[in-house]
Amino acid sequence: MTAPDASQLPRLLATVARPDLASHLSRWGGPPRRGPELLDELGRSRLGGRGGAGFPTARKWAALAAGGRPVVVVNATEGEPASNKDKTLLVHAPHLVLDGASLAARALGASEVIVCVDRRASAALRACGLAISERAGRGLDAVPFRLEAAPPGYVTGEESALVNWINGNPALPSFGRRPYERGVDGRPTLVQNAETLAHVALIGRFGSSWFGALGTDAHPGTALVTVTGDVRHPSVYEVAMGTPLVDVLAPAGADQPVQGVLVGGYAGTWLGPAAATSARLDPAWLGSAGASLGCGSLVVVGPHTCGLKAVAMIAAWMAGQSAGQCGPCARGLPTVADGLGRLLSAGAPNKWNAQIDRWLWMIDGRGACKHPDGAVRMIRSGIQVFAREIESHRHGGDCRRPPPSLALPRYSEVMV
Amino acid sequence: MNRTRRLVVDPIRCDAHGICAELLPELIQLDDWGYPMVSEQPVPHHLEAHARRAVAACPTLALLATEVEVARTAGGRAR
Ligand SMILES: Cc1cc2nc3c(=O)[nH]c(=O)nc-3n(C[C@H](O)[C@H](O)[C@H](O)COP(=O)(O)O)c2cc1C
Ligand code: SF4
Ligand code: SF4
Protein backbone atom coordinates (compact mmCIF):
# COMPACT_ATOMS: atom_id res chain seq x y z
CA MET A 1 0.00 0.00 0.00
CA THR A 2 1.15 3.56 -0.60
CA ALA A 3 2.03 5.58 2.44
CA PRO A 4 -0.60 8.05 3.65
CA ASP A 5 0.19 11.74 3.34
CA ALA A 6 3.07 12.29 5.78
CA SER A 7 2.11 15.90 6.48
CA GLN A 8 -1.38 15.01 7.64
CA LEU A 9 -2.44 15.23 11.27
CA PRO A 10 -3.54 13.29 13.20
CA ARG A 11 -1.45 10.19 12.69
CA LEU A 12 -1.81 8.00 15.75
CA LEU A 13 -5.37 9.11 16.29
CA ALA A 14 -6.41 8.88 12.65
CA THR A 15 -8.72 5.93 13.27
CA VAL A 16 -10.62 7.43 16.20
CA ALA A 17 -13.92 5.54 16.63
CA ARG A 18 -12.72 2.73 14.33
CA PRO A 19 -10.41 0.68 16.50
CA ASP A 20 -11.13 -2.71 14.89
CA LEU A 21 -8.51 -4.68 12.99
CA ALA A 22 -10.16 -4.35 9.57
CA SER A 23 -10.24 -0.54 9.83
CA HIS A 24 -6.70 -0.53 11.09
CA LEU A 25 -5.44 -2.63 8.18
CA SER A 26 -7.33 -0.65 5.57
CA ARG A 27 -5.95 2.60 6.96
CA TRP A 28 -2.33 1.53 7.48
CA GLY A 29 -1.87 -1.69 5.52
CA GLY A 30 -0.62 -4.97 6.96
CA PRO A 31 1.93 -5.06 9.73
CA PRO A 32 5.44 -4.80 8.27
CA ARG A 33 7.66 -7.89 8.42
CA ARG A 34 10.91 -6.38 9.52
CA GLY A 35 13.73 -7.90 11.47
CA PRO A 36 16.79 -6.51 13.24
CA GLU A 37 17.45 -3.89 10.51
CA LEU A 38 14.50 -2.01 11.97
CA LEU A 39 16.95 -0.89 14.64
CA ASP A 40 18.85 1.24 12.11
CA GLU A 41 15.63 2.76 10.82
CA LEU A 42 14.61 3.54 14.38
CA GLY A 43 17.97 5.20 14.97
CA ARG A 44 17.49 7.40 11.90
CA SER A 45 13.99 8.31 13.09
CA ARG A 46 15.41 9.74 16.36
CA LEU A 47 12.32 8.55 18.17
CA GLY A 48 12.46 9.28 21.89
CA GLY A 49 10.46 7.50 24.60
CA ARG A 50 7.09 9.00 25.49
CA GLY A 51 6.77 7.53 28.98
CA GLY A 52 8.50 10.48 30.61
CA ALA A 53 12.26 10.34 30.23
CA GLY A 54 12.50 10.79 26.44
CA PHE A 55 15.29 8.23 26.16
CA PRO A 56 16.27 7.41 22.53
CA THR A 57 14.33 4.27 21.66
CA ALA A 58 16.97 2.84 19.30
CA ARG A 59 19.63 3.02 22.03
CA LYS A 60 17.38 1.15 24.41
CA TRP A 61 16.75 -1.60 21.86
CA ALA A 62 20.47 -1.83 21.08
CA ALA A 63 21.29 -2.36 24.75
CA LEU A 64 18.79 -5.22 24.79
CA ALA A 65 19.81 -6.76 21.50
CA ALA A 66 23.03 -7.82 23.20
CA GLY A 67 21.46 -10.06 25.87
CA GLY A 68 19.55 -13.37 25.93
CA ARG A 69 15.95 -14.03 24.82
CA PRO A 70 14.06 -10.90 25.87
CA VAL A 71 10.52 -10.04 26.91
CA VAL A 72 8.65 -6.97 25.67
CA VAL A 73 6.49 -5.09 28.19
CA VAL A 74 4.05 -2.48 26.91
CA ASN A 75 3.74 0.18 29.60
CA ALA A 76 0.20 1.55 29.34
CA THR A 77 -0.33 1.89 33.09
CA GLU A 78 -0.42 5.70 32.89
CA GLY A 79 -0.94 6.36 36.59
CA GLU A 80 -0.34 10.06 35.95
CA PRO A 81 -3.67 11.73 36.76
CA ALA A 82 -3.20 14.51 34.21
CA SER A 83 -2.43 12.17 31.34
CA ASN A 84 -4.90 10.24 29.25
CA LYS A 85 -3.01 9.64 26.04
CA ASP A 86 -2.04 5.99 26.46
CA LYS A 87 -5.56 4.98 27.48
CA THR A 88 -6.90 7.00 24.55
CA LEU A 89 -4.54 5.23 22.17
CA LEU A 90 -5.61 1.83 23.44
CA VAL A 91 -9.27 2.70 23.08
CA HIS A 92 -8.98 4.25 19.61
CA ALA A 93 -5.91 2.67 17.99
CA PRO A 94 -4.97 -0.46 19.96
CA HIS A 95 -3.52 -2.16 16.89
CA LEU A 96 -0.91 0.54 16.37
CA VAL A 97 0.40 -0.08 19.88
CA LEU A 98 0.31 -3.84 19.38
CA ASP A 99 1.97 -3.57 15.93
CA GLY A 100 4.80 -1.64 17.59
CA ALA A 101 5.16 -4.29 20.28
CA SER A 102 5.11 -7.00 17.64
CA LEU A 103 7.86 -5.23 15.68
CA ALA A 104 9.94 -4.86 18.84
CA ALA A 105 9.52 -8.56 19.63
CA ARG A 106 10.57 -9.51 16.09
CA ALA A 107 13.57 -7.16 15.99
CA LEU A 108 14.83 -8.26 19.40
CA GLY A 109 13.98 -11.93 19.10
CA ALA A 110 11.66 -11.72 22.10
CA SER A 111 9.50 -14.65 23.12
CA GLU A 112 6.54 -12.81 24.59
CA VAL A 113 4.72 -9.47 24.79
CA ILE A 114 3.03 -8.41 28.03
CA VAL A 115 0.65 -5.46 27.83
CA CYS A 116 0.07 -3.73 31.19
CA VAL A 117 -2.97 -1.51 31.66
CA ASP A 118 -4.25 0.13 34.86
CA ARG A 119 -7.03 -2.12 36.14
CA ARG A 120 -9.29 0.92 36.62
CA ALA A 121 -9.07 1.75 32.91
CA SER A 122 -11.90 -0.56 31.90
CA ALA A 123 -12.46 0.86 28.40
CA ALA A 124 -8.77 0.56 27.54
CA LEU A 125 -8.62 -2.97 28.96
CA ARG A 126 -11.66 -4.03 26.97
CA ALA A 127 -10.41 -2.52 23.70
CA CYS A 128 -6.96 -4.00 24.15
CA GLY A 129 -8.30 -7.44 25.04
CA LEU A 130 -10.50 -7.40 21.97
CA ALA A 131 -7.63 -6.30 19.73
CA ILE A 132 -5.36 -9.05 21.04
CA SER A 133 -7.95 -11.73 20.29
CA GLU A 134 -8.58 -10.26 16.80
CA ARG A 135 -4.86 -10.56 16.06
CA ALA A 136 -4.59 -14.05 17.49
CA GLY A 137 -7.53 -15.09 15.30
CA ARG A 138 -5.64 -13.89 12.22
CA GLY A 139 -2.27 -15.26 13.34
CA LEU A 140 -0.81 -11.79 12.91
CA ASP A 141 2.04 -12.03 15.38
CA ALA A 142 4.95 -14.40 15.78
CA VAL A 143 4.83 -14.25 19.59
CA PRO A 144 2.01 -14.58 22.13
CA PHE A 145 0.49 -11.44 23.66
CA ARG A 146 -0.69 -11.34 27.26
CA LEU A 147 -2.85 -8.60 28.78
CA GLU A 148 -2.34 -7.75 32.45
CA ALA A 149 -4.52 -5.49 34.61
CA ALA A 150 -1.97 -3.69 36.74
CA PRO A 151 -2.68 -2.30 40.22
CA PRO A 152 -3.46 1.42 40.37
CA GLY A 153 -0.81 3.82 41.62
CA TYR A 154 1.55 6.40 40.21
CA VAL A 155 4.68 4.40 40.95
CA THR A 156 3.32 1.19 39.38
CA GLY A 157 4.38 2.57 35.98
CA GLU A 158 8.02 2.90 37.02
CA GLU A 159 9.73 0.18 35.04
CA SER A 160 11.33 -1.82 37.84
CA ALA A 161 8.07 -1.67 39.85
CA LEU A 162 6.14 -2.95 36.85
CA VAL A 163 8.61 -5.78 36.27
CA ASN A 164 8.53 -6.72 39.95
CA TRP A 165 4.77 -6.89 39.80
CA ILE A 166 4.78 -9.03 36.65
CA ASN A 167 7.14 -11.36 38.51
CA GLY A 168 4.56 -11.80 41.25
CA ASN A 169 5.95 -9.31 43.76
CA PRO A 170 4.44 -6.03 44.98
CA ALA A 171 4.53 -3.22 42.40
CA LEU A 172 7.43 -1.45 44.10
CA PRO A 173 10.65 -0.19 42.52
CA SER A 174 14.01 -1.86 43.03
CA PHE A 175 17.28 -0.09 43.69
CA GLY A 176 19.86 -0.30 40.93
CA ARG A 177 18.24 -3.15 39.04
CA ARG A 178 17.77 -2.47 35.36
CA PRO A 179 15.00 -4.37 33.56
CA TYR A 180 16.96 -4.33 30.29
CA GLU A 181 19.55 -6.51 32.02
CA ARG A 182 17.38 -8.56 34.36
CA GLY A 183 13.62 -8.15 34.17
CA VAL A 184 10.66 -10.46 33.69
CA ASP A 185 11.67 -13.97 34.86
CA GLY A 186 15.21 -12.64 35.13
CA ARG A 187 15.36 -12.10 31.37
CA PRO A 188 16.36 -8.92 29.53
CA THR A 189 13.18 -6.87 29.30
CA LEU A 190 12.18 -3.98 27.10
CA VAL A 191 9.75 -1.76 28.99
CA GLN A 192 8.31 0.67 26.47
CA ASN A 193 5.57 3.24 26.67
CA ALA A 194 2.42 2.56 24.62
CA GLU A 195 2.68 5.76 22.57
CA THR A 196 6.34 5.11 21.79
CA LEU A 197 5.35 1.74 20.31
CA ALA A 198 2.57 3.28 18.24
CA HIS A 199 5.17 5.54 16.59
CA VAL A 200 7.36 2.47 16.03
CA ALA A 201 4.46 0.88 14.12
CA LEU A 202 4.42 3.79 11.65
CA ILE A 203 8.21 4.07 11.37
CA GLY A 204 8.31 0.32 10.70
CA ARG A 205 5.79 0.75 7.87
CA PHE A 206 6.73 4.01 6.21
CA GLY A 207 10.29 4.73 7.35
CA SER A 208 12.10 7.51 9.16
CA SER A 209 11.76 10.10 6.37
CA TRP A 210 8.00 9.74 6.43
CA PHE A 211 8.08 10.02 10.23
CA GLY A 212 10.23 13.15 10.03
CA ALA A 213 7.96 14.98 7.56
CA LEU A 214 6.38 16.47 10.67
CA GLY A 215 8.26 17.81 13.68
CA THR A 216 11.71 19.37 13.95
CA ASP A 217 15.06 18.07 12.68
CA ALA A 218 16.28 17.19 16.15
CA HIS A 219 12.91 15.88 17.31
CA PRO A 220 10.92 14.55 14.38
CA GLY A 221 7.38 13.25 14.39
CA THR A 222 4.26 13.94 16.39
CA ALA A 223 3.36 13.72 20.06
CA LEU A 224 0.21 13.12 22.02
CA VAL A 225 -0.52 15.76 24.64
CA THR A 226 -3.23 15.75 27.29
CA VAL A 227 -4.53 19.23 28.08
CA THR A 228 -6.37 19.68 31.39
CA GLY A 229 -6.84 22.32 34.07
CA ASP A 230 -8.63 25.58 33.34
CA VAL A 231 -9.65 24.73 29.79
CA ARG A 232 -13.11 24.39 28.30
CA HIS A 233 -12.19 21.31 26.26
CA PRO A 234 -9.88 19.07 28.25
CA SER A 235 -8.65 16.66 25.66
CA VAL A 236 -5.93 14.56 24.10
CA TYR A 237 -4.38 16.27 21.06
CA GLU A 238 -1.82 15.08 18.56
CA VAL A 239 0.64 17.77 17.56
CA ALA A 240 3.79 17.99 15.46
CA MET A 241 6.90 18.28 17.62
CA GLY A 242 7.82 21.97 17.86
CA THR A 243 4.22 23.21 17.79
CA PRO A 244 3.80 26.44 19.80
CA LEU A 245 2.16 25.76 23.15
CA VAL A 246 -0.39 28.51 22.48
CA ASP A 247 -1.58 26.61 19.41
CA VAL A 248 -2.68 23.79 21.70
CA LEU A 249 -4.09 26.03 24.42
CA ALA A 250 -6.38 27.83 21.94
CA PRO A 251 -8.39 24.83 20.69
CA ALA A 252 -8.45 23.45 24.24
CA GLY A 253 -10.25 26.66 25.21
CA ALA A 254 -7.85 28.15 27.73
CA ASP A 255 -8.86 31.63 28.87
CA GLN A 256 -6.05 34.13 28.54
CA PRO A 257 -3.94 35.26 30.18
CA VAL A 258 -2.84 31.96 31.66
CA GLN A 259 -0.89 32.29 34.89
CA GLY A 260 1.10 29.13 34.41
CA VAL A 261 1.22 25.76 32.69
CA LEU A 262 2.56 22.58 34.24
CA VAL A 263 4.35 20.83 31.37
CA GLY A 264 5.15 17.12 31.52
CA GLY A 265 2.74 15.92 34.17
CA TYR A 266 2.83 15.94 37.94
CA ALA A 267 6.56 15.27 37.74
CA GLY A 268 6.94 18.13 35.26
CA THR A 269 7.92 21.78 35.27
CA TRP A 270 5.81 24.91 35.69
CA LEU A 271 6.18 27.59 33.04
CA GLY A 272 5.13 31.14 33.89
CA PRO A 273 3.05 33.38 31.59
CA ALA A 274 6.00 34.62 29.50
CA ALA A 275 7.50 31.16 28.93
CA ALA A 276 4.05 29.71 28.25
CA THR A 277 3.53 32.32 25.51
CA SER A 278 6.75 31.54 23.68
CA ALA A 279 7.07 27.83 24.47
CA ARG A 280 7.28 25.19 21.78
CA LEU A 281 6.32 21.63 22.41
CA ASP A 282 9.55 19.86 21.73
CA PRO A 283 12.31 18.53 23.96
CA ALA A 284 14.86 21.04 22.66
CA TRP A 285 12.86 24.19 23.42
CA LEU A 286 11.55 22.85 26.69
CA GLY A 287 15.00 21.66 27.72
CA SER A 288 16.41 25.14 27.23
CA ALA A 289 13.72 26.42 29.62
CA GLY A 290 14.61 23.79 32.21
CA ALA A 291 11.53 21.74 31.38
CA SER A 292 10.81 18.58 29.42
CA LEU A 293 7.91 17.14 27.47
CA GLY A 294 7.67 14.24 29.93
CA CYS A 295 4.50 12.27 29.28
CA GLY A 296 3.06 15.20 27.28
CA SER A 297 0.58 16.38 29.86
CA LEU A 298 -0.27 20.08 30.19
CA VAL A 299 -2.11 21.47 33.23
CA VAL A 300 -3.31 25.03 32.69
CA VAL A 301 -3.81 27.63 35.43
CA GLY A 302 -6.17 30.25 34.03
CA PRO A 303 -6.74 33.88 35.05
CA HIS A 304 -9.17 33.19 37.89
CA THR A 305 -7.70 30.33 39.89
CA CYS A 306 -4.81 29.94 42.29
CA GLY A 307 -1.68 28.24 40.97
CA LEU A 308 -0.11 28.00 44.41
CA LYS A 309 -3.01 25.84 45.55
CA ALA A 310 -2.42 23.60 42.54
CA VAL A 311 1.24 23.24 43.52
CA ALA A 312 0.29 22.36 47.10
CA MET A 313 -2.43 19.92 46.07
CA ILE A 314 -0.28 18.12 43.52
CA ALA A 315 2.63 17.99 46.00
CA ALA A 316 0.36 16.40 48.61
CA TRP A 317 -0.88 13.89 46.05
CA MET A 318 2.68 13.01 44.99
CA ALA A 319 3.68 12.60 48.65
CA GLY A 320 0.78 10.19 49.07
CA GLN A 321 1.97 8.18 46.08
CA SER A 322 5.40 7.48 47.56
CA ALA A 323 5.89 3.74 47.66
CA GLY A 324 7.12 4.22 51.23
CA GLN A 325 10.40 2.37 50.76
CA CYS A 326 12.94 5.19 50.93
CA GLY A 327 13.21 7.66 53.80
CA PRO A 328 13.89 10.86 51.84
CA CYS A 329 10.83 10.17 49.66
CA ALA A 330 8.46 8.66 52.23
CA ARG A 331 9.32 11.16 54.99
CA GLY A 332 10.59 14.10 52.98
CA LEU A 333 7.75 14.59 50.51
CA PRO A 334 5.03 14.80 53.22
CA THR A 335 7.19 17.30 55.11
CA VAL A 336 7.42 19.52 52.02
CA ALA A 337 3.73 19.11 51.25
CA ASP A 338 2.89 20.28 54.77
CA GLY A 339 5.27 23.17 54.32
CA LEU A 340 3.51 24.23 51.13
CA GLY A 341 0.20 24.06 52.97
CA ARG A 342 1.57 26.53 55.49
CA LEU A 343 2.52 28.93 52.69
CA LEU A 344 -1.16 29.17 51.81
CA SER A 345 -2.16 30.77 55.10
CA ALA A 346 -1.38 34.23 56.40
CA GLY A 347 1.79 34.94 58.32
CA ALA A 348 4.03 32.09 57.16
CA PRO A 349 7.48 33.14 58.36
CA ASN A 350 9.78 34.58 55.68
CA LYS A 351 12.39 31.94 56.34
CA TRP A 352 9.86 29.28 55.36
CA ASN A 353 10.77 29.56 51.66
CA ALA A 354 14.40 28.83 52.46
CA GLN A 355 13.37 25.92 54.65
CA ILE A 356 11.35 24.38 51.80
CA ASP A 357 14.27 24.92 49.41
CA ARG A 358 16.53 23.12 51.86
CA TRP A 359 14.18 20.15 52.09
CA LEU A 360 13.89 19.95 48.31
CA TRP A 361 17.66 19.94 48.05
CA MET A 362 17.80 17.11 50.62
CA ILE A 363 15.23 14.98 48.81
CA ASP A 364 16.43 15.42 45.22
CA GLY A 365 18.05 12.31 43.77
CA ARG A 366 17.85 10.26 46.95
CA GLY A 367 15.16 7.70 46.18
CA ALA A 368 15.55 4.26 44.67
CA CYS A 369 13.44 5.54 41.79
CA LYS A 370 12.92 9.01 40.30
CA HIS A 371 9.54 9.64 41.90
CA PRO A 372 10.87 12.14 44.46
CA ASP A 373 12.96 13.92 41.80
CA GLY A 374 9.83 14.57 39.76
CA ALA A 375 7.99 15.96 42.77
CA VAL A 376 10.96 18.20 43.56
CA ARG A 377 11.03 19.52 39.99
CA MET A 378 7.32 20.34 40.06
CA ILE A 379 7.50 22.06 43.47
CA ARG A 380 10.69 24.02 42.78
CA SER A 381 9.41 25.42 39.52
CA GLY A 382 5.97 26.07 41.06
CA ILE A 383 7.50 28.12 43.86
CA GLN A 384 9.30 30.23 41.26
CA VAL A 385 6.36 30.72 38.94
CA PHE A 386 3.91 31.49 41.76
CA ALA A 387 6.29 33.57 43.90
CA ARG A 388 3.88 36.51 43.85
CA GLU A 389 1.04 34.30 45.10
CA ILE A 390 3.23 33.16 47.99
CA GLU A 391 3.76 36.78 49.02
CA SER A 392 0.12 37.70 48.74
CA HIS A 393 -0.96 34.68 50.79
CA ARG A 394 1.69 35.53 53.37
CA HIS A 395 0.37 39.07 53.76
CA GLY A 396 -3.29 38.72 53.01
CA GLY A 397 -4.15 35.11 53.83
CA ASP A 398 -6.22 32.95 51.56
CA CYS A 399 -6.78 34.55 48.16
CA ARG A 400 -10.21 32.90 48.05
CA ARG A 401 -9.62 31.86 44.48
CA PRO A 402 -10.26 28.16 43.88
CA PRO A 403 -7.54 25.82 42.66
CA PRO A 404 -7.66 25.02 38.94
CA SER A 405 -9.79 22.10 37.95
CA LEU A 406 -7.60 19.01 38.03
CA ALA A 407 -10.19 16.77 36.39
CA LEU A 408 -9.47 14.50 33.46
CA PRO A 409 -11.00 14.52 29.99
CA ARG A 410 -13.31 11.64 29.19
CA TYR A 411 -12.79 9.40 26.19
CA SER A 412 -15.79 10.89 24.43
CA GLU A 413 -14.14 14.27 24.57
CA VAL A 414 -11.06 13.18 22.71
CA MET A 415 -10.36 15.63 19.93
CA VAL A 416 -7.44 15.75 17.61
CA MET B 1 41.25 8.58 35.29
CA ASN B 2 41.66 6.69 38.48
CA ARG B 3 40.00 3.65 39.96
CA THR B 4 38.65 4.33 43.37
CA ARG B 5 35.65 3.82 45.63
CA ARG B 6 32.55 5.82 46.24
CA LEU B 7 29.95 5.24 48.92
CA VAL B 8 26.32 4.68 47.98
CA VAL B 9 23.27 4.11 50.15
CA ASP B 10 20.59 1.71 49.05
CA PRO B 11 17.66 3.87 50.17
CA ILE B 12 15.28 0.90 50.30
CA ARG B 13 17.44 -1.04 52.75
CA CYS B 14 18.45 1.94 54.88
CA ASP B 15 16.51 2.17 58.16
CA ALA B 16 18.09 5.41 59.38
CA HIS B 17 20.09 3.79 62.16
CA GLY B 18 22.63 6.53 61.61
CA ILE B 19 25.62 4.42 62.64
CA CYS B 20 27.36 5.23 59.38
CA ALA B 21 27.21 8.97 60.02
CA GLU B 22 28.71 8.46 63.47
CA LEU B 23 31.59 6.43 62.09
CA LEU B 24 32.27 8.59 59.06
CA PRO B 25 31.08 12.16 59.66
CA GLU B 26 33.59 13.43 57.10
CA LEU B 27 31.59 11.86 54.27
CA ILE B 28 28.13 11.15 55.71
CA GLN B 29 25.63 13.55 57.22
CA LEU B 30 22.09 12.86 58.27
CA ASP B 31 19.18 14.69 56.67
CA ASP B 32 16.28 16.16 58.66
CA TRP B 33 14.62 12.74 58.83
CA GLY B 34 17.67 10.85 60.00
CA TYR B 35 18.68 9.34 56.67
CA PRO B 36 22.28 9.51 55.52
CA MET B 37 23.42 11.89 52.80
CA VAL B 38 26.63 10.48 51.41
CA SER B 39 29.28 12.50 49.65
CA GLU B 40 29.52 11.88 45.92
CA GLN B 41 33.29 12.42 46.16
CA PRO B 42 35.46 9.36 45.89
CA VAL B 43 36.57 8.16 49.30
CA PRO B 44 39.91 9.85 50.01
CA HIS B 45 42.86 7.63 50.83
CA HIS B 46 43.13 8.56 54.50
CA LEU B 47 39.44 7.68 55.12
CA GLU B 48 39.41 4.29 53.44
CA ALA B 49 39.69 2.32 56.68
CA HIS B 50 36.89 4.37 58.27
CA ALA B 51 34.74 3.86 55.21
CA ARG B 52 35.26 0.10 55.31
CA ARG B 53 34.29 0.11 58.99
CA ALA B 54 31.11 2.09 58.30
CA VAL B 55 30.13 -0.29 55.49
CA ALA B 56 30.65 -3.28 57.78
CA ALA B 57 28.74 -1.67 60.66
CA CYS B 58 25.49 -0.94 58.79
CA PRO B 59 22.94 -3.31 60.31
CA THR B 60 20.86 -3.53 57.12
CA LEU B 61 23.74 -3.77 54.63
CA ALA B 62 22.45 -0.57 53.05
CA LEU B 63 25.80 1.20 52.81
CA LEU B 64 27.73 0.08 49.77
CA ALA B 65 31.19 0.89 48.48
CA THR B 66 31.18 0.79 44.70
CA GLU B 67 34.23 0.79 42.55
CA VAL B 68 34.13 3.69 40.10
CA GLU B 69 36.30 5.33 37.54
CA VAL B 70 36.57 8.97 38.41
CA ALA B 71 38.31 11.91 36.92
CA ARG B 72 40.27 13.48 39.76
CA THR B 73 38.43 16.74 39.24
CA ALA B 74 35.06 15.20 40.10
CA GLY B 75 33.11 17.57 42.27
CA GLY B 76 29.96 16.76 44.16
CA ARG B 77 27.93 17.67 47.15
CA ALA B 78 26.99 15.65 50.15
CA ARG B 79 23.88 13.65 49.57
C1 LIG C 1 7.30 7.30 39.39
C2 LIG C 1 7.36 6.90 37.95
C3 LIG C 1 6.19 6.58 37.27
C4 LIG C 1 6.22 6.20 35.93
N1 LIG C 1 5.04 5.92 35.30
C5 LIG C 1 5.07 5.58 33.98
C6 LIG C 1 3.85 5.28 33.28
O1 LIG C 1 2.76 5.30 33.86
N2 LIG C 1 3.93 4.95 31.97
C7 LIG C 1 5.13 4.89 31.29
O2 LIG C 1 5.17 4.57 30.11
N3 LIG C 1 6.29 5.18 31.93
C8 LIG C 1 6.27 5.51 33.25
N4 LIG C 1 7.47 5.79 33.89
C9 LIG C 1 8.73 5.66 33.11
C10 LIG C 1 9.17 4.20 33.03
O3 LIG C 1 10.01 3.93 34.13
C11 LIG C 1 9.94 3.89 31.75
O4 LIG C 1 11.00 4.80 31.65
C12 LIG C 1 9.11 4.00 30.48
O5 LIG C 1 7.99 3.15 30.53
C13 LIG C 1 9.97 3.64 29.29
O6 LIG C 1 9.24 3.80 28.09
P1 LIG C 1 9.68 4.86 26.96
O7 LIG C 1 11.19 4.73 26.78
O8 LIG C 1 8.94 4.44 25.76
O9 LIG C 1 9.32 6.21 27.46
C14 LIG C 1 7.45 6.16 35.24
C15 LIG C 1 8.63 6.50 35.92
C16 LIG C 1 8.59 6.88 37.25
C17 LIG C 1 9.88 7.22 37.95
S1 SF4 D 1 11.88 6.80 45.82
FE1 SF4 D 1 9.84 6.84 46.72
S2 SF4 D 1 8.53 5.96 45.19
FE2 SF4 D 1 10.62 5.44 44.59
S3 SF4 D 1 11.02 3.44 45.52
FE3 SF4 D 1 11.68 4.93 47.00
S4 SF4 D 1 9.90 5.31 48.33
FE4 SF4 D 1 9.18 4.26 46.49
S1 SF4 E 1 24.07 2.63 59.08
FE1 SF4 E 1 22.95 1.71 57.36
S2 SF4 E 1 20.79 1.77 57.97
FE2 SF4 E 1 21.91 3.13 59.31
S3 SF4 E 1 21.71 5.14 58.38
FE3 SF4 E 1 23.64 4.28 57.68
S4 SF4 E 1 23.08 3.28 55.77
FE4 SF4 E 1 21.16 3.63 56.83
Side-chain angles (χ1 to χ4, degrees), chain A residues 335 358-359 361 364 366, chain B residues 31-33 35-36 77 79:
Chain A
T335 305
R358 204 176 131 264
W359 284 328
W361 171 81
D364 199 11
R366 289 185 57 226
Chain B
D31 66 18
D32 283 12
W33 308 281
Y35 292 88
R77 62 181 173 108
R79 49 162 59 233

Side-chain angles (χ1 to χ4, degrees), chain A residues 331-405:
Chain A
R331 304 278 308 281
L333 290 183
T335 305
V336 173
D338 276 1
L340 289 169
R342 276 187 69 179
L343 283 184
L344 289 171
S345 50
N350 268 321
K351 60 172 196 228
W352 204 239
N353 285 37
Q355 175 67 296
I356 289 177
D357 278 348
R358 204 176 131 264
W359 284 328
L360 293 174
W361 171 81
M362 281 182 175
I363 294 166
D364 199 11
R366 289 185 57 226
C369 79
K370 294 198 154 59
H371 176 62
D373 309 12
V376 165
R377 186 163 46 233
M378 187 283 295
I379 296 165
R380 252 193 205 139
S381 56
I383 286 174
Q384 268 172 22
V385 165
F386 300 111
R388 276 221 318 261
E389 279 70 11
I390 294 179
E391 285 317 302
S392 72
H393 278 82
R394 175 173 286 138
H395 299 298
D398 189 355
C399 61
R400 270 177 265 158
R401 281 178 300 160
S405 141

Side-chain angles (χ1 to χ4, degrees), chain B residues 57-79:
Chain B
C58 170
T60 63
L61 306 181
L63 188 63
L64 314 165
T66 59
E67 194 131 299
V68 282
E69 296 237 354
V70 283
R72 266 300 167 195
T73 50
R77 62 181 173 108
R79 49 162 59 233

Side-chain angles (χ1 to χ4, degrees), chain A residues 140-194:
Chain A
L140 226 50
D141 305 300
V143 297
F145 278 61
R146 190 168 105 210
L147 178 61
E148 294 282 0
Y154 189 77
V155 176
T156 300
E158 194 277 335
E159 57 185 12
S160 66
L162 195 55
V163 163
N164 285 335
W165 178 75
I166 293 169
N167 284 337
N169 301 306
L172 300 172
S174 292
F175 176 65
R177 210 178 128 177
R178 304 190 186 95
Y180 72 85
E181 290 168 350
R182 209 152 57 87
V184 174
D185 297 334
R187 291 190 294 162
T189 300
L190 176 75
V191 179
Q192 197 93 69
N193 173 258

Side-chain angles (χ1 to χ4, degrees), chain A residues 13-214:
Chain A
L13 298 178
T15 58
V16 166
R18 284 173 291 122
D20 60 285
L21 185 55
S23 302
H24 170 75
L25 294 177
S26 77
R27 164 84 200 174
W28 299 115
R33 311 249 154 227
R34 302 188 66 156
E37 45 53 75
L38 175 59
L39 237 151
D40 298 326
E41 192 72 49
L42 212 51
R44 284 190 292 275
S45 79
R46 302 192 191 190
L47 177 65
R50 304 300 169 78
F55 191 81
T57 306
R59 281 211 346 240
K60 199 164 174 174
W61 289 27
L64 241 110
R69 194 126 207 239
V71 175
V72 172
V73 171
V74 180
N75 193 351
T77 51
E78 201 174 38
E80 158 72 53
S83 183
N84 218 29
K85 52 131 184 156
D86 293 325
K87 297 177 206 84
T88 297
L89 253 188
L90 281 185
V91 168
H92 292 288
H95 287 291
L96 272 186
V97 178
L98 301 179
D99 278 353
S102 188
L103 280 166
R106 224 170 216 290
L108 300 171
S111 58
E112 188 187 7
V113 173
I114 305 172
V115 187
C116 297
V117 181
D118 188 323
R119 70 162 183 248
R120 295 167 299 184
S122 48
L125 272 169
R126 207 175 322 117
C128 190
L130 205 67
I132 288 175
S133 53
E134 277 182 305
R135 298 172 79 90
R138 290 277 295 269
L140 226 50
D141 305 300
V143 297
F145 278 61
R146 190 168 105 210
L147 178 61
E148 294 282 0
Y154 189 77
V155 176
T156 300
E158 194 277 335
E159 57 185 12
S160 66
L162 195 55
V163 163
N164 285 335
W165 178 75
I166 293 169
N167 284 337
N169 301 306
L172 300 172
S174 292
F175 176 65
R177 210 178 128 177
R178 304 190 186 95
Y180 72 85
E181 290 168 350
R182 209 152 57 87
V184 174
D185 297 334
R187 291 190 294 162
T189 300
L190 176 75
V191 179
Q192 197 93 69
N193 173 258
E195 181 194 342
T196 311
L197 288 167
H199 290 294
V200 169
L202 296 184
I203 294 165
R205 280 185 170 85
F206 310 123
S208 51
S209 309
W210 182 92
F211 180 71
L214 288 172

